[in-house]
Amino acid sequence: MKVRYFALLLVTISLTSCGARKGVPSATQKAQEKSAGYADLPDFIDLTDEVIEDLETETFNIIDHALQFLGTKYKYGGTTPDGMDCSGLVYTCFLQNDISLPRSSKEMAQLGEQLELGNVRTGDLLFFITDRRKKNINHVGLVVELDADNIYFIHSSTSRGVIISALNENYWRDHFVMARRIL
């Protein structure tokens, strides 16, 4: 169900990204979106003026690019719509915005500033260890939305491809290692 709402968010973002102020829709565009049925998005997707205008253009563009890959199948080493892995998704979205990152999640986890969860914001990266035997970071996700109760991130899972998950889901909470800010 949430994937359907994020697909609607993707359409909303795509509709709003070609205004005169790159990445910041006009009041008229937002009114048209609400009248087109986007007002029914769940509470954790907040498209108010303040939220959209608070996003840096660069962060908006990275998230917008990432959302275009929703539903893409998982492919180890992949970086295209034909298939991608978690670090490939993050790598591709940052590179699209002229920010070069290492290709592996383990190396990405050495960049930027480490954050407490309470300081995480949209555009930050979340890192996980999903193979406890190896004890190395091997998974990364990009924060796409926050609300009072949760952090939502886009990533590529081996079983479901590119999806959006919530950090408070048992699996992700149990495997979470750290959050970092690159931008």
Side-chain angles (χ1 to χ4, degrees):
M1 189 76 143
K2 286 184 182 176
V3 173
R4 184 178 77 130
Y5 290 119
F6 280 102
L8 288 173
L9 175 62
L10 174 62
V11 171
T12 301
I13 290 172
S14 296
L15 291 172
T16 63
S17 64
C18 38
R21 294 185 329 188
K22 190 174 183 182
V24 181
S26 70
T28 303
Q29 287 170 315
K30 282 184 246 175
Q32 289 170 340
E33 291 161 15
K34 287 189 184 274
S35 68
Y38 297 113
D40 295 333
L41 291 173
D43 292 337
F44 63 85
I45 298 177
D46 185 358
L47 295 178
T48 61
D49 292 346
E50 298 80 29
V51 170
I52 292 172
E53 290 174 4
D54 283 348
L55 281 181
E56 297 286 328
T57 300
E58 193 170 50
T59 302
F60 178 90
N61 290 338
I62 289 168
I63 292 169
D64 181 48
H65 193 68
L67 291 171
Q68 293 175 35
F69 292 103
L70 276 172
T72 299
K73 71 179 181 178
Y74 178 87
K75 180 180 179 186
Y76 180 78
T79 58
T80 71
D82 292 331
M84 59 180 38
D85 62 17
C86 63
S87 57
L89 173 65
V90 172
Y91 172 84
T92 299
C93 295
F94 276 76
L95 191 60
Q96 176 72 21
N97 288 277
D98 298 321
I99 300 168
S100 182
L101 295 180
R103 181 59 184 82
S104 76
S105 55
K106 181 180 175 183
E107 291 174 338
M108 286 178 192
Q110 298 171 10
L111 300 177
E113 168 192 2
Q114 188 166 344
L115 307 166
E116 297 293 324
L117 277 179
N119 295 327
V120 167
R121 66 181 186 218
T122 307
D124 291 337
L125 300 180
L126 303 178
F127 294 93
F128 305 86
I129 296 176
T130 59
D131 184 347
R132 296 285 185 195
R133 293 171 297 168
K134 294 187 179 179
K135 301 194 187 296
N136 290 322
I137 288 173
N138 64 343
H139 194 74
V140 61
L142 172 67
V143 176
V144 294
E145 185 65 58
L146 304 166
D147 67 20
D149 300 320
N150 216 337
I151 298 171
Y152 298 92
F153 61 100
I154 189 168
H155 62 112
S156 185
S157 94
T158 55
S159 61
R160 296 175 55 206
V162 178
I163 58 171
I164 294 173
S165 297
L167 188 57
N168 74 356
E169 294 171 25
N170 289 338
Y171 181 83
W172 297 113
R173 183 181 59 245
D174 293 345
H175 291 84
F176 175 75
V177 176
M178 73 172 126
R180 297 191 80 86
R181 180 165 298 142
I182 305 297
L183 299 177

